[in-house]
Amino acid sequence: MNSPLMEYLGIAWIDIAWLFLALFSLMIVMIVLFIVIIVKYNKLKKSYDKFMVGKNAKSLEEDIAALFEDNKFIKDEYESNRKLLKGISKIQENCFQKMGLVKYDAFNQMGGSLSFSLCILNDKNDGYIINSVHSSEGCYVYTKEIRNGACDLSLGEEEEKALKMAIESIK
């Protein structure tokens, strides 16, 4: 079949059936793409309608302004909480947070470990060793001050154990 239009376009050598088949295939691809676009559009429309329920441009602007105010409030609260936590951490450095306890029988006569050495330290390893010595005559309690994990006075074996336990209790 000779067509003057096909000769003019320079495609007279192509069989019309192949041209028709190519155009039909292209039309099928276009229909599939059109269906995909319709489905995506419907999803987007549903999301948009859900977002815009009961709103117009003015109310939407008010909602966005409210969100910015909420965001500013959250930032202010965050900053306030950060400062508060910093203060609490500073205070906590001086609180007793480490402890070591060693119970022992001071005179090997009482039949029980009623004597003890208790070491309590803060974050800087400052604190006290409280020593309670229990004997048949009574109970004696004394303290020794600890600075930077050391004591100016000599420590007994149990006191050294309690001090070591306290220093190593939090790492």
Side-chain angles (χ1 to χ4, degrees), residues 57-167:
K58 181 148 179 72
S59 65
L60 190 57
E61 184 180 339
E62 290 169 357
D63 287 349
I64 292 172
L67 288 173
F68 278 114
E69 286 297 319
D70 289 348
N71 191 23
K72 185 177 185 283
F73 174 75
I74 289 170
K75 283 182 179 179
D76 291 344
E77 282 297 310
Y78 167 78
E79 190 60 32
S80 172
N81 288 341
R82 192 181 67 75
K83 287 178 183 175
L84 183 65
L85 284 174
K86 200 173 192 179
I88 290 171
S89 294
K90 189 71 175 165
I91 291 170
Q92 189 179 5
E93 288 177 2
N94 297 320
C95 295
F96 294 127
Q97 18 184 323
K98 302 177 184 181
M99 182 185 83
L101 176 68
V102 177
K103 292 179 72 172
Y104 62 97
D105 188 3
F107 299 107
N108 296 324
Q109 64 185 359
M110 302 303 292
S113 297
L114 300 176
S115 300
F116 66 87
S117 287
L118 172 66
C119 180
I120 51 174
L121 302 174
N122 65 12
D123 193 47
K124 300 173 186 173
N125 289 331
D126 295 337
Y128 300 95
I129 292 181
I130 302 169
N131 204 357
S132 172
V133 179
H134 190 81
S135 69
S136 58
E137 300 162 3
C139 182
Y140 304 97
V141 179
Y142 58 93
T143 62
K144 293 181 180 177
E145 187 174 14
I146 305 296
R147 290 283 169 219
N148 295 321
C151 183
D152 292 339
L153 304 172
S154 63
L155 297 176
E157 179 182 334
E158 293 82 6
E159 293 169 328
E160 286 181 11
K161 284 182 186 177
L163 177 61
K164 184 177 178 186
M165 284 171 108
I167 290 173

Side-chain angles (χ1 to χ4, degrees), residues 7-70:
E7 284 180 22
Y8 179 73
L9 293 174
I11 55 172
W13 54 273
I14 297 177
D15 186 9
I16 192 80
W18 287 111
L19 186 60
F20 177 74
L21 189 59
L23 289 173
F24 182 73
S25 299
L26 183 63
M27 188 174 70
I28 295 294
V29 168
M30 297 296 272
I31 289 172
V32 169
L33 288 174
F34 181 72
I35 291 171
V36 168
I37 288 172
I38 293 281
V39 169
K40 288 188 175 189
Y41 171 78
N42 285 335
K43 283 184 180 180
L44 183 62
K45 176 121 174 71
K46 283 180 186 177
S47 295
Y48 176 77
D49 289 341
K50 188 176 181 181
F51 179 71
M52 293 300 290
V53 168
K55 296 179 181 169
N56 57 28
K58 181 148 179 72
S59 65
L60 190 57
E61 184 180 339
E62 290 169 357
D63 287 349
I64 292 172
L67 288 173
F68 278 114
E69 286 297 319
D70 289 348

